[in-house]
Amino acid sequence: MTPEFVRIASVIEPSESQRALASDLARLCDGRASAGSQDRIAYARDLWPKATYWAGLGKVPRPPDAICWPRDEKQLANVVAFARARKIPLIPFGAGSGVCGGAIALTGGITVDLKRMDRLRSVDHASRLFTAQGGIIGENLERELAAHGLSLGHFPSSIYCSTLGGWLAARSAGQLSTKYGKIEDMCQSLTAVLGTGELVKVRARPSNGPDFTQLLIGSEGTLGFITEATMFAVPQPATRAYRAVRFRTLEAGAEAIRRILRDGLRPAVVRLYDPFDTVIAGKGKTKFAATDEHHRDGIQVIQERAPLAAKLAVRAALGKPAALNRLADLLRECLLILVFEGDADLCSAEDEQALILCRELGGVDLGAAPARHWMEQRYAVSYKQSKMFAAGAFADTMEVCATWDKVLPVYRAVRQAVSPLGFIMAHLSHAYVEGCSLYFTFSATAPSPEEVVERYDAVWREALGAAMAAGATVSHHHGVGFSKAGRLHEELGSPGVNLLRALKRTCDPDGILNPGKLGLGGEA
Ligand SMILES: Cc1cc2nc3c(=O)[nH]c(=O)nc-3n(C[C@H](O)[C@H](O)[C@H](O)COP(=O)(O)OP(=O)(O)OC[C@H]3O[C@@H](n4cnc5c(N)ncnc54)[C@H](O)[C@@H]3O)c2cc1C
């Protein structure tokens, strides 16, 4: 599916049919619907960097014809029935923080924003479970849980601007996932309104039969709306232990993580920065600042943190990425951040044991300060990517996952593939006994806006192609959305795609839910 584009300046007054649509939806959602031009422009994109770049050029994929904000499942089911009868596309919308174009309308339709369904409904202390509505923003959820002495243990960098339903829909991972798991590991049951309009409640880990929660988790709005979920809670941590270790090579640091996990230690945070990322981070001294998910705007943050690296990166962005990447190959220090949390005795025992393992591999203890600083800065997320785009460059991130035998081959393959095209660096995080996630950041530029878009596409094509050829998954936690839809089909293969399509036909027989996403109803 190819998006239709409109000039932002041309989205002025709603048409008659858009006005009529909004007034029908307003009747279904106690007045909360709009076809206003500002709303349609605002909901025309999510935080997919390419869409931000398009916006800078004055265009957006065709905006939704109307937006509505149902209050509850009954209103939502009525909206679905209304759209089904008229074959109008419905686009589920959490907070629009997705970075793969998953919440973009592409060809118009109705964007259904679930943020009015934002309540923490109940807390079951005995079972340590809570039930919350899908539209609740992460930060609000954590604040409410903290009042009960609990936490979900899920802290994505986007916690201020993403929802529980969006996390479940896109298989999100938080910064503490090595201890608490990804969002799909935290769900006990969920409620959804399917594309048929039916309300279903499905339970994880049933005593028998398939686990239907796992069919809906990761479905990115193509099968149904996740309206409510019962989640496993964890206690607020009693204490934390912080540790930073320097390694001579990425190989040694990766091996340390593998052994830490294999030996049963469970740090909440594990982050190993490659040599260039470590330089930008300030060599692990206390001035180290998080170069976390989107914590940087590529060159902009480089400029703030490391003047020399900044000059080099700017030069790279101006067209000499291969030289900078070759220089990075000469660097020889990798920073590992570990944070343990929970019971004080356990934390200090785990910290001590992890340090022993790191030292066996040549790791040098840098103390607690760099890790503590990372923790303090972990939400210092900057959303100023558009400034970089306005300057004629782009930055984006790619997160994939691989088993330990393939982690370093994937790292090398992606660096090699991207090096001629853009500046690239990476860190390893979200560790498991069997492998970990690799998080790449790249930036580049080209002489004209059209060539920037071409370069952006080329970097992604080369990076994801190399990663998958070396054995990585299509994504680890950002989801697939529109931008990686075709690649998902490569990963699933024909039988997997057939199953996915069969599921789609059952849950959404009219194909109205989020067309074009996950490669259902069109491919990127
Ligand atoms: C600065 C920044 C930092 C980020 N950091 C992280 C991170 O640390 N970890 C991480 O995992 N991700 C991260 N992301 C990506 C993003 O926050 C996640 O993908 C998140 O899960 C999206 O949630 P959302 O509520 O904003 O969903 P949206 O962006 O609104 O939607 C995402 C997809 O899910 C669908 N959807 C949304 N809500 C529902 C629902 N209730 N039912 C069914 N389908 C639905 C949409 O149609 C769309 O396909 C980051 C993004 C940014 C911009």
Side-chain angles (χ1 to χ4, degrees), residues 132-154:
Q133 290 182 298
I136 192 166
I137 293 278
E139 169 66 7
N140 297 342
L141 174 63
E142 274 302 318
R143 206 173 300 132
E144 290 198 43
L145 288 173
H148 293 271
L150 295 173
S151 165
L152 175 57
H154 187 72

mmCIF file of all heavy atoms in Angstrom, residues 132-154:
data_model
loop_
_atom_site.group_PDB
_atom_site.id
_atom_site.type_symbol
_atom_site.label_atom_id
_atom_site.label_comp_id
_atom_site.label_asym_id
_atom_site.label_seq_id
_atom_site.Cartn_x
_atom_site.Cartn_y
_atom_site.Cartn_z
ATOM 1 N N ALA A 132 -6.235 -2.211 34.239
ATOM 2 C CA ALA A 132 -6.284 -0.816 33.785
ATOM 3 C C ALA A 132 -6.814 -0.767 32.358
ATOM 4 O O ALA A 132 -6.715 -1.741 31.613
ATOM 5 C CB ALA A 132 -4.904 -0.185 33.845
ATOM 6 N N GLN A 133 -7.351 0.413 31.990
ATOM 7 C CA GLN A 133 -7.863 0.582 30.628
ATOM 8 C C GLN A 133 -6.702 0.866 29.663
ATOM 9 O O GLN A 133 -5.654 1.390 30.065
ATOM 10 C CB GLN A 133 -8.881 1.709 30.608
ATOM 11 C CG GLN A 133 -10.173 1.340 31.333
ATOM 12 C CD GLN A 133 -11.187 2.463 31.244
ATOM 13 O OE1 GLN A 133 -10.950 3.557 31.737
ATOM 14 N NE2 GLN A 133 -12.321 2.192 30.621
ATOM 15 N N GLY A 134 -6.947 0.521 28.410
ATOM 16 C CA GLY A 134 -5.877 0.587 27.410
ATOM 17 C C GLY A 134 -5.354 1.977 27.123
ATOM 18 O O GLY A 134 -4.217 2.134 26.692
ATOM 19 N N GLY A 135 -6.177 3.009 27.369
ATOM 20 C CA GLY A 135 -5.751 4.358 26.984
ATOM 21 C C GLY A 135 -4.964 5.091 28.054
ATOM 22 O O GLY A 135 -4.620 6.264 27.876
ATOM 23 N N ILE A 136 -4.632 4.415 29.148
ATOM 24 C CA ILE A 136 -3.924 5.129 30.220
ATOM 25 C C ILE A 136 -2.466 5.378 29.802
ATOM 26 O O ILE A 136 -1.789 4.492 29.270
ATOM 27 C CB ILE A 136 -4.016 4.357 31.564
ATOM 28 C CG1 ILE A 136 -3.531 5.238 32.718
ATOM 29 C CG2 ILE A 136 -3.262 3.031 31.530
ATOM 30 C CD1 ILE A 136 -3.902 4.695 34.102
ATOM 31 N N ILE A 137 -1.991 6.596 30.026
ATOM 32 C CA ILE A 137 -0.601 6.961 29.718
ATOM 33 C C ILE A 137 0.318 6.326 30.767
ATOM 34 O O ILE A 137 -0.012 6.289 31.958
ATOM 35 C CB ILE A 137 -0.450 8.508 29.733
ATOM 36 C CG1 ILE A 137 -1.225 9.143 28.572
ATOM 37 C CG2 ILE A 137 1.021 8.936 29.731
ATOM 38 C CD1 ILE A 137 -0.524 9.144 27.226
ATOM 39 N N GLY A 138 1.469 5.840 30.333
ATOM 40 C CA GLY A 138 2.365 5.095 31.204
ATOM 41 C C GLY A 138 2.724 5.797 32.499
ATOM 42 O O GLY A 138 2.683 5.207 33.581
ATOM 43 N N GLU A 139 3.068 7.069 32.395
ATOM 44 C CA GLU A 139 3.493 7.804 33.582
ATOM 45 C C GLU A 139 2.342 7.898 34.603
ATOM 46 O O GLU A 139 2.556 7.751 35.806
ATOM 47 C CB GLU A 139 3.971 9.201 33.149
ATOM 48 C CG GLU A 139 4.197 10.195 34.255
ATOM 49 C CD GLU A 139 5.337 9.814 35.180
ATOM 50 O OE1 GLU A 139 6.048 8.835 34.893
ATOM 51 O OE2 GLU A 139 5.486 10.481 36.209
ATOM 52 N N ASN A 140 1.129 8.119 34.118
ATOM 53 C CA ASN A 140 -0.029 8.203 35.026
ATOM 54 C C ASN A 140 -0.278 6.851 35.685
ATOM 55 O O ASN A 140 -0.604 6.779 36.870
ATOM 56 C CB ASN A 140 -1.282 8.649 34.270
ATOM 57 C CG ASN A 140 -1.121 10.046 33.697
ATOM 58 O OD1 ASN A 140 -0.239 10.779 34.129
ATOM 59 N ND2 ASN A 140 -1.936 10.396 32.732
ATOM 60 N N LEU A 141 -0.129 5.793 34.899
ATOM 61 C CA LEU A 141 -0.323 4.453 35.449
ATOM 62 C C LEU A 141 0.680 4.209 36.582
ATOM 63 O O LEU A 141 0.311 3.752 37.676
ATOM 64 C CB LEU A 141 -0.133 3.410 34.339
ATOM 65 C CG LEU A 141 -0.161 1.948 34.779
ATOM 66 C CD1 LEU A 141 -1.514 1.578 35.376
ATOM 67 C CD2 LEU A 141 0.161 1.017 33.609
ATOM 68 N N GLU A 142 1.953 4.524 36.323
ATOM 69 C CA GLU A 142 2.977 4.292 37.361
ATOM 70 C C GLU A 142 2.693 5.115 38.610
ATOM 71 O O GLU A 142 2.879 4.645 39.731
ATOM 72 C CB GLU A 142 4.371 4.613 36.819
ATOM 73 C CG GLU A 142 5.033 3.471 36.084
ATOM 74 C CD GLU A 142 5.192 2.193 36.924
ATOM 75 O OE1 GLU A 142 5.549 2.288 38.109
ATOM 76 O OE2 GLU A 142 4.930 1.099 36.391
ATOM 77 N N ARG A 143 2.249 6.352 38.418
ATOM 78 C CA ARG A 143 1.974 7.211 39.580
ATOM 79 C C ARG A 143 0.848 6.602 40.419
ATOM 80 O O ARG A 143 0.912 6.556 41.632
ATOM 81 C CB ARG A 143 1.618 8.612 39.096
ATOM 82 C CG ARG A 143 1.956 9.644 40.159
ATOM 83 C CD ARG A 143 1.777 11.064 39.689
ATOM 84 N NE ARG A 143 2.585 11.429 38.560
ATOM 85 C CZ ARG A 143 2.126 12.046 37.473
ATOM 86 N NH1 ARG A 143 0.856 12.346 37.375
ATOM 87 N NH2 ARG A 143 2.921 12.364 36.490
ATOM 88 N N GLU A 144 -0.185 6.112 39.732
ATOM 89 C CA GLU A 144 -1.314 5.529 40.466
ATOM 90 C C GLU A 144 -0.911 4.232 41.159
ATOM 91 O O GLU A 144 -1.312 3.962 42.288
ATOM 92 C CB GLU A 144 -2.497 5.292 39.525
ATOM 93 C CG GLU A 144 -3.128 6.597 39.078
ATOM 94 C CD GLU A 144 -4.529 6.385 38.526
ATOM 95 O OE1 GLU A 144 -5.305 5.624 39.122
ATOM 96 O OE2 GLU A 144 -4.822 6.982 37.478
ATOM 97 N N LEU A 145 -0.097 3.425 40.484
ATOM 98 C CA LEU A 145 0.349 2.171 41.095
ATOM 99 C C LEU A 145 1.249 2.446 42.302
ATOM 100 O O LEU A 145 1.198 1.730 43.309
ATOM 101 C CB LEU A 145 1.101 1.311 40.078
ATOM 102 C CG LEU A 145 0.249 0.660 38.985
ATOM 103 C CD1 LEU A 145 1.139 -0.024 37.960
ATOM 104 C CD2 LEU A 145 -0.730 -0.346 39.584
ATOM 105 N N ALA A 146 2.072 3.493 42.173
ATOM 106 C CA ALA A 146 2.996 3.811 43.275
ATOM 107 C C ALA A 146 2.215 4.110 44.550
ATOM 108 O O ALA A 146 2.669 3.792 45.655
ATOM 109 C CB ALA A 146 3.877 4.991 42.884
ATOM 110 N N ALA A 147 1.034 4.687 44.405
ATOM 111 C CA ALA A 147 0.200 4.972 45.588
ATOM 112 C C ALA A 147 -0.210 3.673 46.287
ATOM 113 O O ALA A 147 -0.568 3.688 47.468
ATOM 114 C CB ALA A 147 -1.032 5.774 45.171
ATOM 115 N N HIS A 148 -0.157 2.571 45.562
ATOM 116 C CA HIS A 148 -0.460 1.248 46.152
ATOM 117 C C HIS A 148 0.826 0.505 46.518
ATOM 118 O O HIS A 148 0.789 -0.685 46.824
ATOM 119 C CB HIS A 148 -1.248 0.387 45.158
ATOM 120 C CG HIS A 148 -2.620 0.902 44.872
ATOM 121 N ND1 HIS A 148 -3.719 0.535 45.622
ATOM 122 C CD2 HIS A 148 -3.076 1.757 43.929
ATOM 123 C CE1 HIS A 148 -4.803 1.144 45.143
ATOM 124 N NE2 HIS A 148 -4.432 1.891 44.114
ATOM 125 N N GLY A 149 1.977 1.151 46.395
ATOM 126 C CA GLY A 149 3.260 0.494 46.681
ATOM 127 C C GLY A 149 3.677 -0.446 45.560
ATOM 128 O O GLY A 149 4.555 -1.288 45.735
ATOM 129 N N LEU A 150 3.046 -0.283 44.377
ATOM 130 C CA LEU A 150 3.312 -1.215 43.273
ATOM 131 C C LEU A 150 3.862 -0.492 42.044
ATOM 132 O O LEU A 150 3.860 0.740 41.966
ATOM 133 C CB LEU A 150 2.021 -1.943 42.891
ATOM 134 C CG LEU A 150 1.419 -2.867 43.950
ATOM 135 C CD1 LEU A 150 0.065 -3.385 43.489
ATOM 136 C CD2 LEU A 150 2.357 -4.033 44.272
ATOM 137 N N SER A 151 4.281 -1.290 41.085
ATOM 138 C CA SER A 151 4.769 -0.768 39.809
ATOM 139 C C SER A 151 4.476 -1.840 38.757
ATOM 140 O O SER A 151 4.324 -3.017 39.094
ATOM 141 C CB SER A 151 6.281 -0.532 39.903
ATOM 142 O OG SER A 151 6.840 -0.353 38.629
ATOM 143 N N LEU A 152 4.404 -1.425 37.488
ATOM 144 C CA LEU A 152 4.307 -2.443 36.435
ATOM 145 C C LEU A 152 5.716 -2.958 36.103
ATOM 146 O O LEU A 152 5.883 -4.055 35.601
ATOM 147 C CB LEU A 152 3.639 -1.836 35.187
ATOM 148 C CG LEU A 152 3.559 -2.709 33.938
ATOM 149 C CD1 LEU A 152 2.836 -4.036 34.211
ATOM 150 C CD2 LEU A 152 2.860 -1.978 32.784
ATOM 151 N N GLY A 153 6.728 -2.137 36.390
ATOM 152 C CA GLY A 153 8.103 -2.526 36.042
ATOM 153 C C GLY A 153 8.386 -2.285 34.564
ATOM 154 O O GLY A 153 9.369 -2.771 34.027
ATOM 155 N N HIS A 154 7.522 -1.496 33.911
ATOM 156 C CA HIS A 154 7.686 -1.241 32.469
ATOM 157 C C HIS A 154 7.970 0.247 32.261
ATOM 158 O O HIS A 154 7.092 1.082 32.476
ATOM 159 C CB HIS A 154 6.403 -1.647 31.735
ATOM 160 C CG HIS A 154 6.533 -1.577 30.244
ATOM 161 N ND1 HIS A 154 7.277 -2.486 29.531
ATOM 162 C CD2 HIS A 154 6.043 -0.698 29.339
ATOM 163 C CE1 HIS A 154 7.224 -2.179 28.244
ATOM 164 N NE2 HIS A 154 6.481 -1.093 28.110
#
